[in-house]
Amino acid sequence: MHQKWYKATEVEVGSLNSGTSFYIETIEVSRLSALAFFAAGEETYKGQRFFWQNREKTLTLVGLGHAHVISNNSAHSRFDEVEKEWKQLTKHIIKEDELQPILFGGFTFDPKNEVIDEWASFPQSFFAVATYQLVIRNDKAYVSIHLISDGDSAEAFDALRKERDHLIHAAQVKEVKTYEKPNMTSYEEPHKEAYLQSIDEVTSLIKANEAQKVVIARSLALQFGQTVTSPQILSHVVHEQPESYLFGLEHDDMLFFGASPERLVKVENGQAFSSCVAGSIRRGKTAEEDRVLGDCLLNDEKNRGEHHYVVEMISQTFEKNCTSVKVPKQPKLLKIRDIQHLYTPVEGRLSKDATILQLVKHLHPTPALGGVPRNDAMAIIRQFEPMNRGMYAAPIGWLDADGNGEFAVAIRSATLFGDKAYLYAGGGIVAHSEAQSEYEETLVKFRPMLRALGGQLHE
């Protein structure tokens, strides 16, 4: 095993006192299943785990336990506060490629939403540095121990090493478990009639020039015959949605998970990337039908209009924060298992003072998840959406101590609470939207998480 050690001192952050040290020890390990490592923490670290895999499958992250948590309820300044605390925590860390601690988490969609539901106890920002961090990159696997301490850490670190070795052994030696899908016993569509009515009301507002586009979402509530575990669900999501960003974030007794096709922003060595994903249609049952549907999407006025709003907004944000911005003139198709989207990539070189979290702050919510104009659309969403989106349609992802990182838009997502789950889906409402058509579009968007949860709707 390859082993490295480095130490940072005099960290001053939030409630941490001067002299607090960030201890990190990393070893390179062979043949390690990310899901098996995640499952190895089921007994001790349930409620304090995360999972991430990028769309290209070149980076997988797993976190067990909380070495440090950064959270706040600071509304619009929440992005800045997370960034400030993270920089303070890591300002003395020696930056070596494979050894950097990862801060993983996300933000809620709308801090001004006051609906009390399954998200009631979740903060507006929630990020964690894992006690045990697995990074699989370029076919190499590294496990790091993170300890933040203001005292003698030798004895504590010895205990952490023993636990690390136990977790690695369990992930490597025990047979990878095959999980059956949950048994869904019933489901309901909360506020279905209110949702259908809201489409008509929002369409009327758009026709009256109160907004150009507004995204309205709804939820689906599932009941199971038994408790469903995080490893059980993630195993099916990973297996069934390989072409998407895969994520899972635990917070107390909740797991928020999903398979998103949409990158919000990625930063790598100062280069920034984003994806404009808006406008959708189902997949065909045959290759020919799929091609016809794709061509229909590429030439559909409503979907092209929705897509244009997103491209325009993301391009303008990049122009303000980047140099050498590149944007293709025409969208192409992004095809995933259940749905195909219009897709336009955007790329630029970060300006001197720009950071990944600053881009996240300015990009969220894009017109694909909020609307146009942003503030007017958000006000309409608060008026007509009877639910709290929580982290649905919000930024989720990671960043390191050197400013690299990636955030996806948390769509095709759900929350799990033991024997209950809530799925989320929405669509862009414009002047020509029809309630029934929008309702049917949400059914398509529910499918990825519904399938992973073993559910089936009576359409």
Side-chain angles (χ1 to χ4, degrees), residues 19 28-29 57 59 72 93 141 162 256 272-273 293 343 357 384 396 410 421:
E28 184 176 346
V29 297
K57 305 297 169 272
L59 177 68
N72 65 62
I93 284 179
K162 291 179 181 178
F256 178 64
F273 308 85
L293 288 168
Y343 163 74
L357 283 182
F384 289 100
I396 186 168

Side-chain angles (χ1 to χ4, degrees), residues 53 57 79 200 312:
Q53 191 172 76
K57 305 297 169 272
F79 304 94
D200 294 331
E312 186 176 52

Side-chain angles (χ1 to χ4, degrees), residues 243-257:
E243 64 279 270
S244 299
Y245 289 96
L246 308 176
F247 56 85
L249 176 63
E250 291 184 330
H251 181 266
D252 297 334
D253 62 344
M254 180 189 81
L255 169 71
F256 178 64
F257 66 98

Side-chain angles (χ1 to χ4, degrees), residues 151-293:
D152 184 1
S153 63
E155 186 174 339
F157 221 98
D158 282 342
L160 291 175
R161 286 191 186 101
K162 291 179 181 178
E163 175 68 5
R164 174 201 62 198
D165 294 343
H166 168 75
L167 292 166
I168 293 173
H169 180 268
Q172 288 180 330
V173 175
K174 289 184 179 180
E175 183 177 352
V176 178
K177 188 172 181 179
T178 301
Y179 297 94
E180 292 186 357
K181 287 194 174 181
N183 174 31
M184 187 187 81
T185 56
S186 64
Y187 74 88
E188 62 175 325
E189 300 179 77
H191 315 294
K192 177 182 176 180
E193 295 305 319
Y195 165 80
L196 291 170
Q197 183 178 346
S198 73
I199 305 302
D200 294 331
E201 292 173 326
V202 171
T203 301
S204 296
L205 291 175
I206 292 171
K207 289 178 178 177
N209 296 319
E210 296 291 326
Q212 295 170 273
K213 173 191 173 182
V214 180
V215 177
I216 297 295
R218 71 185 189 100
S219 62
L220 182 67
L222 309 185
Q223 179 66 53
F224 305 100
Q226 68 288 318
T227 296
V228 183
T229 69
S230 297
Q232 180 181 4
I233 290 307
L234 289 178
S235 68
H236 292 296
V237 173
V238 169
H239 174 71
E240 295 176 2
Q241 300 292 328
E243 64 279 270
S244 299
Y245 289 96
L246 308 176
F247 56 85
L249 176 63
E250 291 184 330
H251 181 266
D252 297 334
D253 62 344
M254 180 189 81
L255 169 71
F256 178 64
F257 66 98
S260 174
E262 185 172 350
R263 168 190 287 158
L264 182 65
V265 63
K266 174 183 178 180
V267 170
E268 185 173 23
N269 300 322
Q271 196 74 8
F273 308 85
S274 187
S275 299
C276 308
V277 180
S280 60
I281 200 167
R282 64 182 176 85
R283 297 299 303 269
K285 294 180 180 179
T286 64
E288 177 60 23
E289 183 187 13
D290 201 57
R291 183 190 64 77
V292 171
L293 288 168

